Amino acid sequence: VGGGFHGDGLHSVLEPAAAGLPVMFGPRHANARAAAHLLAEGGGVEVNGEKALADCLSGWMEAPDSREASARLAFRYIDRHRGAAERTARSVADILGPGR
């Protein structure tokens, strides 16, 4: 995922996870809560430079079981959070009151 090597912000880590892919991103992800969760749960990997990125990609290519396990963990994170938009919309509607 792009954006993790500069200060402009990490791009969405949720998109590859929702597609059932393992997620890799740079070290600048402090403002991306989902990235931290994916790291903690094994569905994401932080890489700190070109060599680490190449090593991770090579590792996933050479060990498909490892890549697939990481992908399953990433998708499991997404699956557990399904319905969040609907729950948020209901909460906002409750705050605004009837007819809004």
Side-chain angles (χ1 to χ4, degrees):
V1 174
F5 288 98
H6 54 71
D8 291 340
L10 184 65
H11 299 200
S12 176
V13 296
L14 300 177
E15 292 173 7
L21 299 170
V23 185
M24 180 186 342
F25 45 85
R28 300 189 81 172
H29 57 81
N31 291 335
R33 191 170 84 174
H37 291 166
L38 287 170
L39 274 174
E41 296 178 22
V45 176
E46 177 186 318
V47 293
N48 291 300
E50 293 175 19
K51 182 172 178 355
L53 185 141
D55 289 347
C56 185
L57 283 175
S58 294
W60 281 343
M61 296 306 289
E62 294 169 5
D65 290 346
S66 174
R67 179 184 67 241
E68 291 167 12
S70 185
R72 278 192 302 277
L73 292 169
F75 186 78
R76 187 177 302 159
Y77 173 79
I78 295 294
D79 200 39
R80 281 197 329 271
H81 291 87
R82 288 186 190 277
E86 184 178 334
R87 289 189 302 274
T88 300
R90 271 189 263 138
S91 293
V92 170
D94 289 346
I95 291 168
L96 294 176
R100 291 189 164 196

